[in-house]
Amino acid sequence: QKEVEQNSGPLSVPEGAIASLNCTYSDRVSQSFFWYRQYSGKSPELIMSIYSNGDKEDGRFTAQLNKASQYVSLLIRDSQPSDSATYLCAVGSYNTDKLIFGTGTRLQVFP
Amino acid sequence: DTEVTQTPKHLVMGMTNKKSLKCEQHMGHRAMYWYKQKAKKPPELMFVYSYEKLSINESVPSRFSPECPNSSLLNLHLHALQPEDSALYLCASSLAPRGAGGLGTGELFFGEGSRLTVL
């Protein structure tokens, strides 16, 4: 059974701090990794994708991938109250359109 | 334009009704998906269409019937649903499929969803 695990939270951080969200996965042949943000009652929105080991930065967001340790993380710098949402980690393998989603981490950024 | 449009946004139906959910994208994407999401749970894959052909059916009950009339449209026909089928139904698309040797990136773009309530 392929699994993607996330801490459900809530993760509470003050405004302006760095929020660190983590995700581990069980399938060693996973090749594609995604972070989606989902506001309450809304649909998921893709915010980062990463395919190779290391860091990938986009604005205030940095995705980090370590395939040897089978984890992927998302750092949000200068966190804002508008970042308060559930963050879903999703993992894909070669030659399949099926993504395995984690259960999500709820992030709360307080002023 | 990076939009996936779903209609209706809200749907209430009885267990004997027949209704349809519709999804449209004009981004030239060739893979389209239906997901189901219950409250506080991750999205669950239901169906995948690759180049207008059904490529994945995640053992979904036959009361859900997908249809892909062309590369821009995806429908989900609903018949004889149960109250436990009440959920947010999400359509998504991606530029190209990743399965069967496809070169897609796997990035999904979701519509706003159709919130279904079965009475």
Side-chain angles (χ1 to χ4, degrees):
Chain A
Q1 179 82 3
K2 299 175 185 177
E3 291 184 346
V4 175
E5 295 192 358
Q6 298 180 251
N7 188 320
S8 61
L11 173 65
S12 293
V13 301
E15 184 174 357
I18 295 175
S20 178
L21 305 162
N22 299 313
C23 171
T24 60
Y25 59 94
S26 62
D27 186 2
R28 284 197 165 273
V29 300
S30 298
Q31 294 194 325
S32 51
F33 307 86
F34 308 94
W35 285 99
Y36 287 85
R37 177 176 62 198
Q38 187 170 25
Y39 293 112
S40 181
K42 301 296 186 182
S43 62
E45 175 191 8
L46 178 67
I47 53 172
M48 290 290 284
S49 56
I50 187 166
Y51 302 93
S52 52
N53 280 330
D55 295 359
K56 179 181 177 182
E57 186 175 319
D58 184 0
R60 295 187 297 113
F61 299 100
T62 298
Q64 299 175 316
L65 175 61
N66 184 322
K67 288 187 178 180
S69 300
Q70 295 177 237
Y71 83 77
V72 57
S73 62
L74 179 70
L75 301 178
I76 306 175
R77 287 182 301 281
D78 188 23
S79 295
Q80 302 296 310
S82 57
D83 294 325
S84 299
T86 295
Y87 289 79
L88 296 163
C89 173
V91 175
S93 298
Y94 172 72
N95 208 30
T96 177
D97 288 300
K98 183 173 181 178
L99 290 186
I100 308 297
F101 280 88
T103 52
T105 298
R106 189 157 63 95
L107 173 66
Q108 294 178 336
V109 181
F110 55 92
Chain B
D1 185 7
T2 55
E3 265 198 13
V4 177
T5 303
Q6 289 188 244
T7 56
K9 291 194 175 3
H10 299 275
L11 178 62
V12 179
M13 60 186 290
M15 289 190 283
T16 58
N17 292 158
K18 284 185 182 181
K19 297 286 185 183
S20 297
L21 305 180
K22 296 185 185 302
C23 175
E24 191 168 3
Q25 57 88 14
H26 294 290
M27 298 179 281
H29 288 184
R30 301 310 300 273
M32 296 186 76
Y33 309 72
W34 281 115
Y35 280 83
K36 171 183 176 180
Q37 188 175 27
K38 300 276 248 183
K40 300 191 187 304
K41 298 290 187 183
E44 297 174 37
L45 182 65
M46 300 175 72
F47 303 103
V48 181
Y49 275 83
S50 301
Y51 299 103
E52 297 93 70
K53 292 192 187 324
L54 183 66
S55 59
I56 296 179
N57 176 342
E58 287 286 286
S59 302
V60 178
S62 59
R63 57 186 184 268
F64 296 92
S65 175
E67 178 195 21
C68 188
N70 60 54
S71 61
S72 299
L73 293 174
L74 186 65
N75 298 321
L76 186 62
H77 302 299
L78 314 170
H79 175 53
L81 295 193
Q82 304 297 310
E84 59 265 28
D85 296 322
S86 298
L88 181 66
Y89 288 84
L90 296 162
C91 175
S93 69
S94 63
L95 182 60
R98 196 169 170 82
L103 299 178
T105 61
E107 293 180 334
L108 298 184
F109 297 91
F110 285 90
E112 292 187 348
S114 293
R115 188 163 299 281
L116 173 67
T117 302
V118 182
L119 300 177

